[in-house]
Amino acid sequence: WTADEVLEHVYEPLRKAFPDYISRRVIGKDQTGTYTMWAYTFEPADWEQTLFITGGIHAREMDGYLGLARFFELMVKEDGSHAGLHYLRTRVKIVLIPIVNVYSASEEHIRFNARGVDLNRDFAAHTEAETINVIWLLEQYKDEAAALIDYHTAYGQRYDIYYNFRVQAPNC
């Protein structure tokens, strides 16, 4: 599936089925100016905290952003029988950019964007439209977001897991 097909087949049916809970908006275009970047907001009536989640920065990591899509499908349709999913569904506002690297997810399924830049390495310099769009949206939630989660896939290689916490929101 292309980036648009993932949205069309997974996120859009959920948004249409739960319009009072899920909304979406355009956050910009990719570096080529061809592909639209979308953000979805999952907002329960009585939310207590906010998570900011991104996926698909490396579009070759398809099982990562498709797994993220499946997770959201399970969370949205939860029936109250799973305490963790129920808490997320009823008490956590989630701002999600399902696929950051929309060009590569639509064209080549590689690590880089159309200009050959690894977007995961561009957040310090923010030279690419994709990272500028993510930062623009994140700025709107910087005082509210308790955490930012960037969803990847490890491809069977051994990676050390590390955590880098910087408290920004008063509710962290």
Side-chain angles (χ1 to χ4, degrees):
W1 283 350
T2 66
D4 285 342
E5 289 171 330
V6 170
L7 302 182
E8 175 187 334
H9 293 295
V10 179
Y11 293 100
E12 282 304 289
L14 292 175
R15 184 177 68 88
K16 290 173 184 172
F18 300 92
D20 294 336
Y21 173 56
I22 305 170
S23 61
R24 79 170 182 163
R25 66 176 164 163
V26 173
I27 62 166
K29 294 283 190 178
D30 75 316
Q31 191 65 37
T32 68
T34 303
Y35 297 98
T36 302
M37 292 179 65
W38 292 94
Y40 286 81
T41 302
F42 299 77
E43 188 169 347
D46 297 317
W47 58 274
E48 299 171 349
Q49 58 184 323
T50 302
L51 293 178
F52 192 95
I53 301 175
T54 58
I57 283 182
H58 297 141
R60 74 178 185 179
E61 299 174 7
M62 291 179 286
D63 50 338
Y65 64 80
L66 292 174
L68 187 60
R70 178 66 175 140
F71 170 79
F72 274 93
E73 184 178 50
L74 291 170
M75 184 194 74
V76 168
K77 294 178 178 179
E78 72 85 25
D79 62 4
S81 61
H82 187 281
L85 288 178
H86 184 73
Y87 178 78
L88 288 171
R89 173 69 169 83
T90 60
R91 295 286 184 240
V92 179
K93 177 165 72 172
I94 300 173
V95 179
L96 168 69
I97 304 172
I99 303 174
V100 173
N101 195 347
V102 289
Y103 162 80
S104 186
S106 299
E107 297 284 337
E108 301 184 55
H109 288 92
I110 58 174
R111 183 180 178 94
F112 309 101
N113 75 348
R115 290 189 343 131
V117 174
D118 180 343
L119 298 175
N120 203 41
R121 306 293 185 261
D122 190 49
F123 280 93
H126 46 83
T127 61
E128 303 302 294
E130 297 90 343
T131 51
I132 291 168
N133 293 338
V134 172
I135 291 167
W136 172 82
L137 186 63
L138 184 56
E139 274 293 312
Q140 296 174 43
Y141 295 94
K142 70 179 180 181
D143 296 327
E144 178 182 317
L148 181 141
I149 301 167
D150 183 21
Y151 205 80
H152 286 265
T153 303
Y155 280 112
Q157 297 172 356
R158 185 182 179 282
Y159 290 103
D160 291 331
I161 297 176
Y162 66 94
Y163 299 92
N164 181 7
F165 290 101
R166 285 194 270 174
V167 176
Q168 296 178 355
N171 62 342
C172 288

